[in-house]
Structure formats: C-alpha cells, structure tokens
Amino acid sequence: MKTTIKLIFQTYFLLIFSTCSVKKPVKTTNFVEKPDWVRSLIYDYKPSKKKEIDILHTLLKVDFDWKNKTMNGEATITLKPFLNPVDTIILDAKSFILKEIKLSNTKIKDSLKYYYDQKKIKITLNRKISAKDTLEIYIKYVAQPEVYAKDSSLKGTAITNDKGLYFITPDSLFPNKPYQIWTQGEPESNSCWFPTIEAMNDKFTQEIYITVSKKTKTLSNGELMYSLDNQDSTRTDYWKQSLPHSAYLAMIAVGVFEIIKDKYKKLEVNYYVEKSHKSYVKKIFGNTPEMIQFFENKLNYPYPWDKYSSIVVRDYVSGAMENTSATVFMEQVQRTDRELLDQNYENILAHELFHHWFGDLVTCESWANLPLNESFADYSEYLWEEYKYGKEAADYAKQNSLEQYLWESRSKREPLIRYNHRDTEDMFDSHSYAKGGTVLHALRNYVGDAIFYKSLNFYLTKNAFKSAEIHDLRLAFEEISGEDLNWFFDQWFFKLGHPEINVKHSFENNKLTLKISQNQDTKYQPIYTLPIEITYYLDTQKVIKNIFITKKESVFEFDCFQKPKAIIFDSKDIITGIITHSKTIKELVNQYYVAPNYISKYECMEDLKSKLDSSEVLEMYKSATKDSFWKIREMALETLSNAPKKDSLVINQLYLNCYDKEKKSSVRATILEKLANLKQKKYSPMFVYAMNDSSYQVA
C-alpha cells in the first residue's frame, strides 16, 4: 500500500524543506530517563493469531442497496481444521445482519447455532471435525458498513477509514460526483463486507458473483469468467481468483468506468478511469507493461497472477492498495497531460505492482512483519527510478525516504519488526516504508547485485503463496551468500534507531587518518557494524577504501603520498542515519567537481550555501546551474538569489539564460519566483509569456 502519510511527507519535504539534511544531525543528549522517542518498550507483545481453521475457498454472491448503503451477501466458505479437531468455527464479521447459517456440503442442511457479538460469529457444529474433514458453511447476511463506521475508533493517518465497503454518491458540494462502490481491506476491514478469517497467514481461492446495474462496470480479483444479463435490468459478473491469497487482498469495485485495454506478452493489463480521463490513460499508466517486464527480469520470477488491472476511484481512504491483480488508486493519479508535466505518480505505480510479489505472492506472516511487504514496495520505487530515469533520480528519491524516516525519528524510534506495537495502524509509518527501503538498499550494496537478486528469487520461490517472517528473508540471503547475516538483520530489523556518525580527517607524514565515532544514545540504540566505502581524490587518482566499523570509536589510517583534494565518507550513500563530517571550503568545492553522485554534490551545496561571498563557492554554484540533474540545477538557482549585491546583475542574467534552456518545469518556476522577488518591471513581459507555459506550475 502506498499510504497517505507517505504522500504527505513527500509533499512536505518537497515544498517546505530543502530536501535533505542527512549530514546535519538531530541533536541527542544523555537521557537519564527513557527518551520520548522510545515507544515499543511500553507496548504489549502481540503474537500472530493462533491458527485453528484453514479457509480453503470463499464463494460470494453480492448485490447492493444504494439507498441504505448496504450489501446483500451470500457466502459459502470451504474450510477445515488446521491441526486439532474443532466443534466451533469463529469468523470475523463486522456489523452484519445475519439471516441464515447452515452447512451446505452435507445431507443435513439444518441451520447451525451461533453467537454473534457484531464482530465475530462463533458457530457451533453438530459434531467435532478433524483436519481430514472439509466443511462448507453457508451464510446469508446484510453488510452494513455505515453502522460499523459509527462504532469505529480508527484514528489512522495511513488509512483514514476502516469500514471496508464504500458507497460514493453525489452530494451538495460535488453534485457531479460519480456513483461508485469500492472496498478497502487492509489491514482488517474486509470482514465488513464478507465473513472470513482476517489473518495474513490464511490464504484461500475465491469466486465472486457481483450483480449490478447494466450501466456499470465491475472489477475484482482474478479473471472475469463471464457476464450474464438478468431480466430486471441488472447484470451478474462472475470473477474467479484461482490462486490463493490473503483476506485483506480481496476487492470489488463498481462504477461507470472507461476500460482501456493494454497487455504485456499474453497478460491482460487494463486501466479503469472516468470518461473525462480516457484520453490521458496511456500517459498515466502507459509504463505499466514495461514495469512488469523490468520487475520480472530483476527477480527472475514471472508476474504470478491472472491479470493486472489498475482502477482510479473517488474519495479513496489511502494512497493506493495492491489488491491481488486489481490495484486501487486515489483520484489524484487521474491527471491530464499538462498536469503530468509537473507531477506523475509512477512511484506509486511501481510500489503497488511490486507488492504483487512482495505482499501478495509472499505475504508477511503478521503485521509485526509488515516491512516484508512495505519496505520492498518502497525500495521498488528506487529500482524503477534507477532503471528508467538514472541513478541520480533514484538517489534523490532515496534521499527523500531517508528524510521522511529521520523526521519521524524525532518523535519515535522503533524496530522495523515490532512484535510490541500499540495497534496495527501504528505499523504503517515511515519506519516500515522509508527506513525499510533504505535498509534494503544497504543490504543490496553489501552483498552485491548478483547475490541480492538471486536471494530475492530464492525467497519468493520458497515461500510462494505462503506467508513469511523476517527470518525467512535472512535465511534466503544466507543460503545464497553463504554468509551469516544475523549481525545485519539484528541491528537493522530488530533494534531501534540509527547511527549518528561523526567523522574527522587529518593528513600528516603521508598518512590520511580518519577518526570515526558513533554518537547515538547507546542505552537504547546499538553500536552498529557498518561496512563503509570511503573515496578520496588525489590530483590524478581516485582511491577507494572499504572499511568495517564495529566500535563506538574507530581510527583508520591509509598510506597516501599527497594530501587528498576531497574525501567522501560513505561514498556509496548507504547509511540509514546521520553523518557529520567537517570539511574546509576548498575540500567541499573540490568534492563538488569530482563527486560521482547526487548526494555528494548535494552535501557540498548544502554546506556552502551561506558562503557565497567566496568567489570559488559562487563559481561552483554557477557551474551547478548547468548540472545534468535537475535537482542540482534547482538548488543552485534557489541559492544564488542570496548572492552578494555586487553580483546581482550577473546572477539575474544567469537566470534569464537558464530559463530559455530549462526543460524541467519546477526549475523554470524557481527562476520565475526569484525574478519576481526583484519587483522589476523589465521582467513583466517574461512573466506574461510564462502564463502560457505548458506547465501549470510555471504559469
């Protein structure tokens, strides 16, 4: 799931902050008492639900009462005991009106006795059944999502409502809003519209018969087997999910949609949008087949489901949701060609698609293990950016992820794998998403690409259509790499916090010395084992050294025949944490010119933005306006507005020259903003001209 909270964070950091302060530490103190950011220690241990029943198959027949916003349902649930004999069946079912419950695969069709507390149905069987027995329980009911919503106490930011089934209708504020029905199951809301067991480690196949008006289209998991017109102006669509998945991944959607058909090889790839956006679909979703191919190739594992459909709905309660073979997106994804010039949501498209391997195919065994789903989906955004738009674009995305986590870490620091958490909603945060994604990047860089992707293939193959814990991922990497990786998984997945590193360097007697200290509060956070790449530049030579930091205080010496021009600590940019490394102006300027990646250039520009009175710094920023990556150009143009007054004429002319050549809309907008702040009439014709720019942001 691409959650609303992550989108909020992204917008926040893009618009308000200069994107990253990775090299500027959050101040820590020696706490006498437990600091405010330590949370998990006060919460109760939450084991995964004990498995007593296996649901093998769910068959649903549903139709809808728009006036009362209810759903009439008939469920036939095929199940068997997991291990021990049972004489009762307990199913999750929230705020139903129950009409009938009976066995349907036995000669005796008498109704069964049950107790219902509006959350769970406890069904009493006529006898004990063993794990060799298979039962079919028929339940006729009315789902009342609005009744459940009145009693819900959800106060989430990632998922803002948990009534499971949503009726979207026109209202006084939006009289043209379309009629739609859609569902949202994660984390445990699908029991608001069908009886089930909402445990991630329970997987079943599924059939759904959806009866709707002939004017509307439907979407669900799996394949559309047939559509049958009824005599009362309705139609029944039959959807079949032939491969097992978890309850939270089931979905239905109903509405007046335009369906634009696409394909990848023989796979059906469809996009459901409102008619007003039909002509923009290929620009919005057109890279989906290429994404499928890219992820298949990286994982060496074919897309595992019957189809891949994307649907955009109104008033969605989250960012997007990776329902098996049928992803739901928020309406903001539905953009015109002109709007797409300023912002697209390809990161969300990649995120939800990657879930179809990490989350849908292999599902985390419990919500405590949610990073097995979300960290991978978050990291898929980096992988797609790297492949499609280059490493600088990917590093910029990762920088945003790191900043999201560091911002959240000011108020809470918890292990990625949290068996102690207050409630499920707490797991959907920047730890599970952003921090987890950066940790996977560090793992990839440590083991290397070949082992990384081969390990992922092994993990997927071994656990396909099952659930997994973090240890399954560790064991997969150990199996392929032949290396004990407990140290890596323990410090990054089971310990809270992050390293806060201070680096000091000196050069004397042909030796380069680095003094490195870990300054995080070690009462609650570990001393990290960190494999680090250090790069330093001589006049005609680039030198790379790999070190292992294992202590709070470390000193490393390297033979060096001359004083380095520039030194880059963590030159691969893999540390999920904060680095402070003091450097001279000359060293930072040199670093900018030799820096191989976006982060190294960014660090120089961030540290030197108050030094524009230095001629060499000013020239560095002027040079940065011609950088190949748009974010560096934007940052340079933003900073140059603070240049000394004596340089203002040169800088203003630089703005004009850059504007004519600039292809990135946000950079053009930055130039206009800086010129507008001058309040000089001579630029008015330029502003009038910019009103007709292809970009809304510029206009």
Side-chain angles (χ1 to χ4, degrees):
M1 170 178 285
K2 184 75 172 185
T3 59
T4 306
I5 190 168
K6 177 157 187 177
L7 296 173
I8 291 170
F9 271 126
Q10 286 178 337
T11 304
Y12 186 69
F13 284 104
L14 286 172
L15 296 182
I16 298 179
F17 286 114
S18 56
T19 317
C20 182
S21 58
V22 178
K23 310 299 179 181
K24 295 200 168 189
V26 178
K27 292 183 179 179
T28 59
T29 57
N30 294 320
F31 292 96
V32 177
E33 299 180 354
K34 178 177 65 64
D36 291 339
W37 43 257
V38 176
R39 290 190 177 189
S40 58
L41 299 178
I42 66 174
Y43 299 144
D44 293 334
Y45 178 79
K46 290 181 175 58
S48 57
K49 295 179 181 178
K50 184 179 179 181
K51 197 170 185 180
E52 295 183 344
I53 298 294
D54 256 337
I55 292 182
L56 306 177
H57 185 72
T58 298
L59 184 151
L60 300 174
K61 296 180 180 179
V62 301
D63 62 75
F64 306 95
D65 182 339
W66 283 89
K67 181 179 179 181
N68 295 307
K69 295 185 177 180
T70 60
M71 187 192 83
N72 304 308
E74 296 178 62
T76 302
I77 303 171
T78 305
L79 48 80
K80 70 180 187 67
F82 175 65
L83 180 62
N84 299 317
V86 300
D87 57 8
T88 59
I89 304 293
I90 298 177
L91 299 174
D92 296 303
K94 300 185 179 85
S95 300
F96 287 3
I97 298 173
L98 295 175
K99 295 191 172 184
E100 185 179 11
I101 300 179
K102 65 182 181 181
L103 293 175
S104 64
N105 66 333
T106 62
K107 292 181 180 179
I108 302 174
K109 297 292 196 292
D110 291 345
S111 295
L112 295 170
K113 294 181 179 179
Y114 63 89
Y115 170 75
Y116 182 46
D117 65 359
Q118 293 297 304
K119 292 183 179 179
K120 294 182 182 291
I121 312 170
K122 184 176 182 180
I123 303 169
T124 303
L125 303 176
N126 298 324
R127 60 182 176 85
K128 275 200 171 186
I129 59 170
S130 72
K132 297 180 181 179
D133 297 320
T134 299
L135 288 182
E136 285 185 4
I137 293 181
Y138 170 85
I139 302 175
K140 189 174 183 179
Y141 63 98
V142 177
Q144 306 176 97
E146 298 302 321
V147 172
Y148 176 73
K150 291 178 182 177
D151 298 327
S152 174
S153 59
L154 178 75
K155 296 179 180 178
T157 51
I159 306 163
T160 59
N161 196 298
D162 64 345
K163 63 184 179 182
L165 176 65
Y166 298 80
F167 289 79
I168 307 303
T169 57
D171 54 39
S172 58
L173 291 177
F174 300 99
N176 297 319
K177 186 183 295 185
Y179 286 87
Q180 292 178 353
I181 295 170
W182 46 264
T183 61
Q184 165 55 36
E186 191 176 37
E188 297 179 353
S189 300
N190 271 342
S191 60
C192 289
W193 62 279
F194 70 94
T196 190
I197 295 176
E198 286 192 304
M200 308 173 81
N201 59 357
D202 191 58
K203 296 200 173 192
F204 52 82
T205 54
Q206 168 188 301
E207 297 170 271
I208 304 183
Y209 294 83
I210 310 173
T211 299
V212 294
S213 163
K214 291 180 182 179
K215 297 178 181 179
T216 59
K217 304 282 197 325
T218 70
L219 177 63
S220 188
N221 314 101
E223 292 184 273
L224 178 61
M225 305 305 291
Y226 63 74
S227 294
L228 180 65
D229 287 343
N230 304 315
Q231 295 181 350
D232 60 351
S233 75
T234 65
R235 186 189 73 254
T236 299
D237 292 346
Y238 169 41
W239 292 89
K240 184 177 182 180
Q241 171 68 29
S242 57
L243 296 169
H245 68 163
S246 299
Y248 79 94
L249 296 167
M251 71 82 70
I252 54 176
V254 179
V256 179
F257 296 103
E258 292 290 328
I259 304 176
I260 289 78
K261 296 184 180 295
D262 204 346
K263 67 178 181 178
Y264 166 65
K265 296 181 179 178
K266 295 183 179 180
L267 182 72
E268 183 180 306
V269 179
N270 293 332
Y271 317 118
Y272 289 62
V273 297
E274 294 175 33
K275 187 176 182 179
S276 59
H277 281 73
K278 180 180 179 180
S279 60
Y280 310 120
V281 162
K282 284 302 175 77
K283 286 283 185 70
I284 300 169
F285 292 108
N287 282 334
T288 302
E290 186 180 357
M291 281 185 185
I292 297 173
Q293 182 180 41
F294 169 67
F295 290 142
E296 279 191 347
N297 292 341
K298 281 293 183 185
L299 299 170
N300 193 26
Y301 197 107
Y303 176 81
W305 307 102
D306 296 320
K307 71 167 189 311
Y308 188 65
S309 293
S310 301
I311 186 168
V312 182
V313 302
R314 292 291 188 101
D315 299 347
Y316 195 47
V317 294
S318 189
M321 179 63 205
E322 68 276 9
N323 309 296
T324 309
S325 79
T327 294
V328 177
F329 292 96
M330 61 182 182
E331 63 196 88
Q332 287 87 344
V333 170
Q334 208 165 235
R335 304 177 79 80
T336 66
D337 289 353
R338 190 179 182 192
E339 289 169 327
L340 287 167
L341 293 173
D342 296 323
Q343 184 181 20
N344 66 59
Y345 288 100
E346 278 190 24
N347 61 326
I348 303 183
L349 270 61
H351 183 111
E352 305 308 328
L353 175 58
F354 208 61
H355 266 311
H356 282 73
W357 287 270
F358 294 90
D360 296 9
L361 176 65
V362 181
T363 307
C364 58
E365 185 269 345
S366 63
W367 295 115
N369 285 273
L370 183 64
L372 283 176
N373 291 12
E374 296 300 349
S375 296
F376 275 103
D378 189 275
Y379 190 50
S380 74
E381 300 174 34
Y382 180 95
L383 297 176
W384 173 253
E385 288 283 330
E386 183 182 39
Y387 158 76
K388 189 69 175 176
Y389 303 107
K391 192 173 187 307
E392 288 183 316
D395 286 345
Y396 173 60
K398 187 177 75 68
Q399 181 191 41
N400 285 328
S401 289
L402 177 57
E403 273 303 311
Q404 289 163 30
Y405 160 68
L406 291 177
W407 178 262
E408 185 174 84
S409 74
R410 297 179 182 185
S411 58
K412 75 172 190 178
R413 299 183 194 181
E414 305 193 54
L416 288 182
I417 305 301
R418 281 167 270 172
Y419 292 100
N420 297 64
H421 57 270
R422 182 181 57 184
D423 54 40
T424 300
E425 175 63 24
D426 280 0
M427 290 299 301
F428 292 85
D429 61 7
S430 286
H431 284 61
S432 294
Y433 287 73
K435 182 182 181 181
T438 62
V439 167
L440 290 175
H441 184 67
L443 180 59
R444 173 190 170 192
N445 276 273
Y446 175 68
V447 301
D449 276 15
I451 290 175
F452 183 75
Y453 290 113
K454 192 173 182 180
S455 299
L456 296 187
N457 174 270
F458 184 81
Y459 169 78
L460 293 172
T461 302
K462 187 175 181 180
N463 299 291
F465 304 106
K466 295 187 290 187
S467 59
E469 296 185 75
I470 191 64
H471 299 295
D472 294 300
L473 182 67
R474 173 179 59 81
L475 290 170
F477 272 86
E478 292 182 346
E479 175 75 19
I480 298 303
S481 68
E483 180 179 355
D484 184 342
L485 291 169
N486 266 295
W487 63 271
F488 184 95
F489 280 78
D490 181 63
Q491 68 183 14
W492 289 117
F493 287 95
F494 289 104
K495 300 291 176 61
L496 57 81
H498 52 265
E500 299 178 18
I501 298 171
N502 182 265
V503 181
K504 295 180 180 179
H505 70 269
S506 61
F507 178 78
E508 190 174 359
N509 298 325
N510 289 336
K511 285 192 181 295
L512 172 63
T513 301
L514 294 182
K515 294 182 179 180
I516 303 163
S517 60
Q518 297 192 47
N519 297 330
Q520 63 272 15
D521 179 3
T522 55
K523 184 176 180 181
Y524 297 99
Q525 300 168 113
I527 295 294
Y528 285 83
T529 296
L530 299 170
I532 299 294
E533 179 185 273
I534 296 166
T535 302
Y536 57 88
Y537 294 83
L538 309 177
D539 285 338
T540 59
Q541 189 179 356
K542 171 183 174 182
V543 181
I544 297 176
K545 299 289 184 180
N546 290 290
I547 63 173
F548 247 83
I549 300 172
T550 59
K551 301 175 182 177
K552 183 175 177 60
E553 305 286 343
S554 304
V555 178
F556 295 89
E557 288 187 343
F558 308 106
D559 291 330
C560 191
F561 65 86
Q562 69 177 86
K563 184 177 181 180
K565 296 167 57 179
I567 302 166
I568 304 177
F569 182 84
D570 187 25
S571 49
K572 284 190 174 180
D573 184 39
I574 63 170
I575 291 180
T576 301
I578 298 166
I579 299 170
T580 304
H581 186 180
S582 298
K583 301 175 185 179
T584 66
I585 290 178
K586 185 66 176 177
E587 286 171 333
L588 287 167
V589 170
N590 288 341
Q591 178 176 316
Y592 173 82
Y593 289 113
V594 300
N597 58 43
Y598 160 72
I599 289 294
S600 295
K601 291 179 181 178
Y602 173 88
E603 177 191 345
C604 308
M605 298 175 69
E606 180 69 13
D607 288 353
L608 292 174
K609 62 185 180 182
S610 62
K611 309 291 185 183
L612 292 175
D613 54 345
S614 164
S615 60
E616 58 182 344
V617 171
L618 189 64
E619 288 305 312
M620 183 198 80
Y621 274 96
K622 289 179 184 178
S623 176
T625 63
K626 301 175 184 178
D627 195 88
S628 61
F629 185 51
W630 68 269
K631 188 59 185 178
I632 294 295
R633 299 195 302 273
E634 184 175 272
M635 186 177 181
L637 291 161
E638 181 78 35
T639 305
L640 282 169
S641 64
N642 298 317
K645 286 187 177 181
K646 64 183 177 62
D647 299 302
S648 59
L649 290 177
V650 174
I651 299 304
N652 294 345
Q653 186 59 47
L654 179 67
Y655 283 143
L656 295 174
N657 295 341
C658 290
Y659 186 87
D660 291 336
K661 301 172 184 176
E662 185 56 56
K663 295 181 179 180
K664 184 70 175 178
S665 60
S666 66
V667 183
R668 296 200 303 278
T670 295
I671 294 171
L672 289 172
E673 179 187 354
K674 297 307 171 186
L675 291 175
N677 288 339
L678 300 175
K679 295 181 170 55
Q680 295 183 15
K681 288 186 177 181
K682 65 180 179 179
Y683 298 119
S684 295
M686 182 181 182
F687 300 147
V688 173
Y689 175 77
M691 287 296 292
N692 296 312
D693 195 280
S694 56
S695 158
Y696 279 121
Q697 186 177 359
V698 172

